[in-house]
Amino acid sequence: MQSISPRQLEVFVAVATTGSVRAASERLFMSQPAASMALAELERLIGSPVFSRERGRLHLNDRGRELLPLARELIERHAEFARMAEGAVTGLSGEIGVGASNTVGNYLVGDLLGPFAAAHPGVSLRLGVANTARIAQGVLDHDFDVGCVEGPVTHPALEVRPWRDDRLVVCARPDHPLAAKKRLRRDDFAGQRWVLRERGSATRALSERALAELPEGTTVLELDQSESIKQAVIAGLGIACLPEVAVGDAVKIGRLAILPTPFLDLRRTLSVLLHRQRYRGAVLEAFLGDLTHLA
């Protein structure tokens, strides 16, 4: 078989990442016809298509999903060869796709990406934010090179590494009756109105575990963002379990109050997700090393 070129592999990976030839051509600074030609030639050399078209977007088919990790590995190894051939004078270059669950992506993105971005300006960082279940699926589908999530994940194809500790707090408006109590007991929560995260969220799972230890209450709202829940609590719609890092600003200016609940275990561990088949070249290893130093 005629050799497949690094450029054809780059087009394949870029189309898989962006979902369209147009976006891939812009990312690679190519004309759209040139990118289309490179992809068509790649599929001709392979002997089968690697994408299916759905609603105007290109989606990896089974053959494409099988080949994508190897294509990424070949691109990274090619870059590493060039760097070593130059005597490692040049800095790291390439791209990392990072998936972050909502708490990490909205409140800890500086810790997650900042040190690495400062140390390796030649590496492009692509961040996607969703709930834990969606990020885990994104790593499984090779949409992300690495994930950072709040909740427990168990899948045989994923390696899960602890990153750092985190905890939730129960919060209410400062004028809420529970905020006036010096010492709360479990019974004080009987009949309370709760605002919860959506199902599939790690925050929702831990909240439900905590609520199971309290008298029955009422779920009045389910929202998919911590910021939305904060505003609902501030508006007096109910009380909520939220990440401590998400409410610090509102507590500081007196818009929210943290309710002391020493009888509830609201601790959790933030974790890094890696696909076991993902090649871990110099760029990814450097990123993981920076996360380890921040743990």
Side-chain angles (χ1 to χ4, degrees):
M1 184 175 72
Q2 183 181 343
S3 297
I4 295 172
S5 71
R7 196 56 162 174
Q8 290 166 348
L9 293 175
E10 288 174 344
V11 170
F12 169 43
V13 171
V15 173
T17 301
T18 63
S20 75
V21 174
R22 179 190 59 77
S25 66
E26 292 174 354
R27 174 173 292 194
L28 296 173
F29 303 102
M30 301 172 65
S31 68
Q32 186 169 336
S36 295
M37 186 179 300
L39 180 59
E41 180 64 10
L42 173 75
E43 291 183 320
R44 186 188 71 78
L45 292 171
I46 292 172
S48 65
V50 291
F51 292 99
S52 60
R53 284 179 169 77
E54 298 176 20
R55 298 179 182 178
R57 287 182 62 84
L58 292 173
H59 297 271
L60 287 167
N61 59 23
D62 290 342
R63 184 65 169 149
R65 279 189 290 272
E66 179 184 29
L67 292 173
L68 181 60
L70 181 56
R72 283 180 166 152
E73 177 179 347
L74 290 171
I75 292 170
E76 291 182 28
R77 286 189 180 276
H78 186 270
E80 288 169 10
F81 177 87
R83 191 164 51 250
M84 291 182 67
E86 294 171 0
V89 174
T90 59
L92 292 177
S93 62
E95 179 186 273
I96 291 182
V98 181
S101 57
N102 285 282
T103 296
V104 179
N106 290 321
Y107 303 104
L108 297 172
V109 68
D111 289 349
L112 180 66
L113 303 181
F116 181 82
H120 305 287
V123 178
S124 174
L125 292 166
R126 174 173 53 87
L127 178 68
V129 180
N131 66 32
T132 291
R134 291 178 181 175
I135 295 302
Q137 190 60 51
V139 176
L140 284 169
D141 293 340
H142 300 286
D143 293 334
F144 301 118
D145 301 305
V146 60
C148 193
V149 299
E150 307 148 41
V153 175
T154 55
H155 193 287
L158 294 179
E159 177 186 345
V160 182
R161 299 182 181 182
W163 178 37
R164 59 190 286 175
D165 294 330
D166 183 46
R167 77 176 186 124
L168 302 184
V169 292
V170 181
C171 56
R173 274 172 59 113
D175 60 357
H176 191 282
L178 293 183
K181 291 180 175 286
K182 293 184 178 180
R183 184 174 180 178
L184 290 170
R185 300 174 302 170
R186 284 184 171 86
D187 291 345
D188 293 323
F189 288 87
Q192 290 298 322
R193 296 161 58 85
W194 291 88
V195 183
L196 299 179
R197 280 286 303 274
E198 84 287 5
R199 296 185 185 278
S201 157
T203 297
R204 171 63 177 260
L206 185 52
S207 298
E208 287 183 336
R209 191 179 77 187
L211 265 60
E213 300 180 22
L214 298 175
E216 187 175 354
T218 303
T219 301
V220 294
L221 273 177
E222 295 184 7
L223 301 169
D224 63 0
Q225 293 291 331
S226 293
E227 281 300 311
S228 301
I229 295 175
K230 281 169 59 177
Q231 295 306 315
V233 175
I234 290 170
L237 299 180
I239 62 177
C241 280
L242 285 171
E244 187 175 30
V245 294
V247 302
D249 54 347
V251 171
K252 187 175 182 179
I253 61 176
R255 301 190 74 194
L256 282 179
I258 294 177
L259 305 179
T261 55
F263 42 82
L264 297 178
D265 183 5
L266 296 172
R267 296 169 298 173
R268 62 184 180 181
T269 299
L270 306 182
S271 302
V272 174
L273 306 181
L274 296 161
H275 200 298
R276 295 188 187 279
Q277 293 182 347
R278 173 68 167 88
Y279 171 65
R280 298 169 194 181
V283 174
L284 184 54
E285 288 293 356
F287 182 80
L288 295 174
D290 280 1
L291 286 185
T292 300
H293 295 321
L294 287 169

